[in-house]
Structure formats: C-alpha cells, structure tokens
Amino acid sequence: MWMSKEAMTPLYKKLYKVTNRTQHGMTPLYSVVFNFIDDRLYDYFASAGGNRINLYNCLEDGGISLLHSFTDEDTEESFYTVSWACGVEGNSFVVAGGLKGIIRVINVDDKMVHKTLVGHEGSVSEIKTHPTKPQLVLSASEDGSVRLWNMETGVCILRFAGTGGHPSEVLSVDFHPSDKHRFVSCGMEATTKIWSMKEFWTYVEMSFTWKDDDDPSKFPTQVVQFPVFTASDPSALLTCNRWCGDNILSKSNVDEILLWQPKFKENSPREGDFYGILGYPIPDSYSHSHRLIGFSCDLNMNFVSIGNNKGNIYVWDLKSYPPVLFTMLSHYQSKSMIRQTAMSVNGNTILATSEDGTLWRWDAEGV
C-alpha cells in the first residue's frame, strides 16, 4: 500500500523562467541528458530524436550553443535514448540507441562513430552509464534482455536474460550509485528486478584489455539468468527506475512517481515486495504513453522533475516529508507532451524535450 498523496499546491520556493526554446521540426525529441560523468563538461548536454543526436553547451546567459549534430546513415532510425560516457584516457563519448536496436558510440572530440554495438534483437528503450566506470553502459531492450557493454572496446560483456529474466520488453535500467555490481531493471510485465554482476566481474575487467583489432563477437559474453531480487505489482506498472540511495524512484502508470524500498520475502531469497514510502503525483501523465515519459534528478538527488501530456513540468522536493511540490512550470506555447526532462548539477537549469520537437530551457531566477 502506497502512502497517501499530498496536496498539489506548488510552493514556488524557486521561480523558473523560460530562457530558450528551440524547434527541431516536428520530429519528437525522446531524450535529453546533462553530462554528469565529466565534471569538466557539466554544462554539456545531448538530445535524441529521429535519426539525430545533438550535442549542446548551456551558456551562462541562458543561450544554447549547438556543438555537433550527428545524423545516422539509416533514415528510418529513431533514437529513443542517449547517455554520456568517458574513455579510460578521459575522452568524452555519447552512446545512443533506439528503434533499430543498434547502439552508436560517438566520440565527442573527433565527432566520429567510435563503435557500433550490435546484439539486441529489438529496439533499445534506455541506456545508462556506470557511475564509477564510465566506459561501461547498460542497454534495456524490447527483446527482453539487458546487456552490459564496454563501449570503448565494443564488446558485450554480460547479457541478463533467460529463466529468471524479463519475459517481455525491458523499459528502464539504472546502476546503483555506490554498489558497482548492482543495477535495477523494470519491464512491461509489471516486474522490477535487481541484478548483481559481482560473480562475473572478472569478465568486466577482461573487457578493458580487449584489443581494437580483436573481433568483439569472439568475446566470451556471459549470460546471467537470475536476479537477486524480483518484485511484481500489476496494479502499479513501473516504467522508469532510478536509485535514490538504496531506495528506488519509479514512474508508474497511475500518474505518479513512487519512492519505494525493496523488501525480501521470508524464506524466498530472490523474491520480494514493494515497500511504499512516498508518492509524488503527476497529473495528466497518461498510462498509454508511459514508456516515453521519463523523469530526472539533480546530481545530489534533492529534486525530481517530470513532464506530462499537457506540456507542464512538475518538480518535487525529495528531501521533504511529507512530499512537497517545489514548483510547477508551464508556458502558453508548451502544449505538447514532455517526453523527458534533464536537471543540471544543482537543479537551477531544467531542460525538456517534447513530442512536437521542441527543446525547452528553464532557469531559476535570481541565482
């Protein structure tokens, strides 16, 4: 049972204003993400939509500077997700995937495709980068699997699928912020799973010594069939997961973000329940669009922001109990569904991508 929802009256503790609005035709923009991997590039962000990945710099005056635009050779590709990554020597990459199930690794310095990661047999829903080893990325796919890649050497290290895996599309993945071996995934079958890579870490280390001239397909990819935790709740399909300490924030199909704690069942070492802590309501976030509405947090997990089907953005204070709606952002020209938000390191800038191809920038006033 989830705790009751609090009043939806915004406190407006911080006022935001639109400082930039960029139109990218009518192609939906599905993803936007700040670079939290490299502290030299905290003001950089990437967006994804259609067969294009755009890299930008957030300027101090509220402007947005386009650094590079990558257009995939496949005109029918549609990128759903993008994540920043970093090479062993400190060079920056962006990793993107989508409709075709092919993952592109783009070198930000030379603006060329560094690697193409092939293996998924369905579209890629989400890509996330390891917080302490940013050469590693996870990909969640329509084919029911999660894959761990070394994006720099191009090898698939682990494939999470099989007997204990997701029987249908995997919607979201996220690495644990402090336990390098763990990540969480959720799927269309209303199941959330926590996985451990600890037993297979020797293969992770092996991936770093795989030479460029070696065939990536010859790497001894391991299949992990059983998670360490599985919980199901058909009444609250969880479609976008993020760790919040050892708890988990999840977007559900009932118009809210849930903060919950994984609880193991007695005498069932791999099975568990959702222990609800708090609920953060998101009005007009319709369930039929659940896969393509994502939320974001600032680096220190003080706030969570998410858009809805009517073009509004809700920002909740994660440090308050009971829940506090920090602010609600709206604009007379923002009427299309917000697909994804991205909060800057300190939360003073909020980016949003929309169904009508608009990229929005909001900035806190007086800071």
Side-chain angles (χ1 to χ4, degrees), residues 147-169:
R147 289 176 180 250
L148 177 71
W149 309 82
N150 187 315
M151 62 87 202
E152 194 160 28
T153 58
V155 301
C156 179
I157 309 166
L158 302 174
R159 182 167 66 90
F160 303 85
T163 305
H166 292 281
S168 59
E169 181 173 1

Side-chain angles (χ1 to χ4, degrees), residues 35 43 45 77 97 149 153 159 200 251 268 279 288 300 367:
N35 185 352
D43 292 330
F45 70 92
E77 177 64 281
W149 309 82
T153 58
R159 182 167 66 90
F200 302 90
K251 168 70 172 68
S268 299
H288 73 268
N300 294 319
V367 296

Side-chain angles (χ1 to χ4, degrees), residues 255-270:
D255 292 352
E256 68 177 341
I257 294 174
L258 308 170
L259 178 65
W260 59 278
Q261 182 181 13
K263 287 283 190 179
F264 285 96
K265 293 180 179 178
E266 293 185 12
N267 303 318
S268 299
R270 294 182 183 272

